Every structure is written in C-alpha cells, then in structure tokens.
Amino acid sequence: MKKQLPKVKPLCPPGRSPRYEDVPFAEVTLDNGDPYTLKMDIYQDLNQKTPGPCIIYYFGGGWMYGEYKQVTQKAVYFRELIRLVEQGFTVVSPAYRLASQSVFPACIHDCKGVVRFLKANSKLYHIDPERIGVLGNSAGGHLAAMVAMSANCSEMEGDVGGNQEYTSAVRAATIFYAPADLVALLRNDANEAIKNLSSTEVDNAGKSMDNVITEILGYTEPGKSLIDLNQLLESGDTEDLDWKYIELAKRCSPISYVSANCPPMMILHGGKDPLVPIDQSESLYKALVSSNADAMYFSFSQANHGPTMGDEADQVAYQFLKNRL
C-alpha cells in the first residue's frame, strides 16, 4: 500500500512585487538592548499618482513567528488583498517585534506606529490618510483589533517612529479568528485550545498556549507558569507583585476598549478552530453590539484556524473593507 504523504499547507506568497520595498518606518530597541529597524513593503499600482484607500495587513503567527516579506506565510489573506491594488488600493505589509524580541505591548506600539507613519507620508506614497483600514489573522487579527479599538488610549499609543502629531485611528477593521480577551484565555484550558498546532498558522511552533501567553506577557521567570497566573487571577490578590501581568493582559485585550466610538469592525471565526476559542470572537461581537458599535460577525461552522475560512467568508471580509474605505 502506498504511504500517503501528510497534508501540508502551501505557501501563499504575494503575486506581485511591492512598489516600495523595505521601507524603514521606525528605529526601536529590543528587550536585549539591541537596536532594530522596523520595515514595511508597500504594494501599489505603478501608475497610481493620486491618494487612494489603504489596507494594512498584520501577519499571524502566535506573536512569535512570521515576517513582513510574506515569503513564508500560509494564510491566503495577504495574497488576496494584493489583487485590490488593481482597484486603486494600497496594501501595506509591516514588520512588528515578535514576542521573542520584545514583550507586550511592544508589537502593539509598532503596529500603531505604522499607521502614523503612513499618515505622515501620505503624499509620498499616494495614500488618503482618512481611508486607512486594517486586516489581520490570528495574532495579526489581535493587533489589527488593538489598533482599531484603542486609538484613543494614550497609554497604549507608544512613540514608535514618532509622528505623534498624527493619530493612529483607522476607518475600519477586519479580524480573522483573533484573541480578543487575554484574561479569558488564562481561564481556559490552554492545552485543549492549542492541541493541534499542525492545522494553524503556528505550524512550526513546538510550544503550548502556556508558553505563548506567558512569553508575550513577559511572565517567564523560572518556576512560573500559566497555571500560576490563573491561580493569581482567581485569587483577585491585586497586592501580589505579579498582578501587573494580569493588568497587562487586560490592557492588551481588544475587548477592554469596546465603545460606540470604535470604527466599523468585521469579525470572522471558524467553528472548528482548535487554537483560538470561538467564544473569543463571539464575546467581542456581543460587547460591540451592547455598546452600539458598528460590527458584523461571520462564522463558518466547518472552518479551521486558517489558512482560509473559505472563499465566501474571505470575500465578505474583503468587501467589508472595500465598502468602508
């Protein structure tokens, strides 16, 4: 009997080259003290000369993997977004610091710095600063949601790249199966949530959710684990020195910033997602509805944690941004 090869998700690189490649947008410092240059690729029709709408794509990978060059990505979203270039859209793929380089909220500050940079240089790159939207999947969806929802929170803004005279507010956001409430994730059975890494964006991550959550929060001292954080959370002991990690999880959760002032949000989540519990998206949607925000929710019962939610769902997501930008 012929042995069947294991199913491997194909790579989904962009179908064209960027118009502006490796554009530096900020100089930052990693947690180990090393300097680091954040860059982005900007995809745009070569003939575009007038300002047009822009979509920033934040890649997924558990906050630990992935790169802005889009040569190792297995999610289809960026490849599909590139096709909008022919319709006058600019599509931007930026870098951000991974958790192995700097803990939260560094990557959030980086993602906000991208928006301010594009607004500050909108004439140079033919972008309408009032027509910028964001899209992300998984960890990238979390970052897109944070950019969209916490624009008016000075504590979460940071100063990456400068351009402080510009706001990081965006016009609309689409997020695929994104962690929306990190505190709720602490309470969940983490091992159950990530037991099948082979079907997620984090294909090469030999880590458990325990390691993911603790690493992004910087809760990495020897002998400490997600279980310890859970116990602290349940105790409600705000006097404990480690309570700062609980507060950090709250500050870095999109659901903490729900209000009627949030930009239009499109939330998508698959019914068979083994990595991010579907109630993360459902809770965020319900909170947005309760706050009278403009929100839509799409769930496909058979969809997994990428690399796509199916053409129908994906096209709904792209159309949402097209209609609002």
Side-chain angles (χ1 to χ4, degrees):
M1 181 180 293
K2 187 176 180 181
K3 185 178 180 180
Q4 288 187 331
L5 295 175
K7 292 183 179 180
V8 179
K9 291 191 303 182
L11 295 178
C12 295
R16 63 192 300 157
S17 299
R19 182 177 187 179
Y20 305 100
E21 190 168 12
D22 300 322
V23 177
F25 68 90
E27 297 292 332
V28 295
T29 302
L30 306 182
D31 283 355
N32 65 5
D34 290 345
Y36 190 74
T37 301
L38 293 170
K39 300 178 182 180
M40 68 174 75
D41 282 346
I42 301 175
Y43 295 77
Q44 189 179 79
D45 189 280
L46 297 179
N47 297 316
Q48 184 166 330
K49 295 182 175 61
T50 58
C54 172
I55 299 174
I56 304 170
Y57 172 75
Y58 300 115
F59 60 83
W63 303 283
M64 293 184 179
Y65 302 93
E67 36 69 48
Y68 75 99
K69 300 303 294 181
Q70 295 296 318
V71 294
T72 63
Q73 305 305 307
K74 296 186 178 182
V76 305
Y77 312 114
F78 187 76
R79 185 186 64 186
E80 296 300 312
L81 286 172
I82 291 301
R83 297 175 182 176
L84 296 180
V85 166
E86 299 170 2
Q87 301 178 38
F89 284 78
T90 296
V91 180
V92 177
S93 179
Y96 57 81
R97 280 171 286 181
L98 303 175
S100 59
Q101 298 172 308
S102 298
V103 300
F104 274 8
C107 57
I108 298 170
H109 291 168
D110 297 345
C111 291
K112 287 172 173 282
V114 173
V115 180
R116 296 196 307 270
F117 175 89
L118 292 174
K119 289 184 177 182
N121 296 276
S122 59
K123 292 184 179 179
L124 176 63
Y125 296 113
H126 317 295
I127 292 171
D128 184 339
E130 300 300 320
R131 300 174 69 192
I132 297 177
V134 292
L135 182 146
N137 54 294
S138 196
H142 162 269
L143 294 172
M146 284 298 299
V147 168
M149 299 178 69
S150 67
N152 297 318
C153 178
S154 59
E155 182 183 13
M156 295 306 300
E157 190 66 23
D159 59 1
V160 170
N163 302 308
Q164 299 297 113
E165 65 273 28
Y166 295 91
T167 173
S168 64
V170 295
R171 191 159 178 173
T174 292
I175 60 174
F176 286 87
Y177 41 82
D181 187 343
L182 300 184
V183 176
L185 283 181
L186 296 180
R187 293 191 175 102
N188 288 337
D189 182 350
N191 290 329
E192 179 65 19
I194 200 171
K195 66 180 180 182
N196 187 13
L197 283 173
S198 63
S199 62
T200 74
E201 264 83 39
V202 211
D203 291 320
N204 56 345
K207 293 177 177 287
S208 68
M209 182 65 82
D210 184 301
N211 289 333
V212 173
I213 292 294
T214 55
E215 187 161 344
I216 62 178
L217 296 177
Y219 187 75
T220 55
E221 294 181 24
K224 294 187 176 182
S225 69
L226 185 61
I227 294 176
D228 298 313
L229 270 184
N230 274 324
Q231 291 175 341
L232 176 57
L233 178 62
E234 295 304 323
S235 74
D237 184 5
T238 58
E239 299 301 318
D240 191 295
L241 293 178
D242 285 343
W243 189 259
K244 64 182 179 182
Y245 297 104
I246 302 296
E247 291 297 329
L248 180 60
K250 292 179 181 179
R251 291 198 305 274
C252 295
S253 295
I255 202 167
S256 298
Y257 302 95
V258 168
S259 77
N261 296 322
C262 288
M265 303 277 297
M266 177 70 175
I267 303 165
L268 301 98
H269 211 122
K272 292 190 175 180
D273 191 324
L275 179 56
V276 178
I278 194 171
D279 59 12
Q280 288 279 307
S281 288
E282 291 175 348
S283 296
L284 178 60
Y285 174 67
K286 290 176 181 177
L288 287 165
V289 170
S290 297
S291 298
N292 203 32
D294 182 355
M296 295 181 66
Y297 175 56
F298 190 109
S299 179
F300 175 35
S301 63
Q302 301 301 309
N304 206 307
H305 194 78
T308 173
M309 278 188 58
D311 186 64
E312 288 180 322
D314 294 350
Q315 292 305 319
V316 166
Y318 309 139
Q319 191 64 44
F320 179 87
L321 287 179
K322 288 173 61 178
N323 290 346
R324 285 158 178 78
L325 298 180

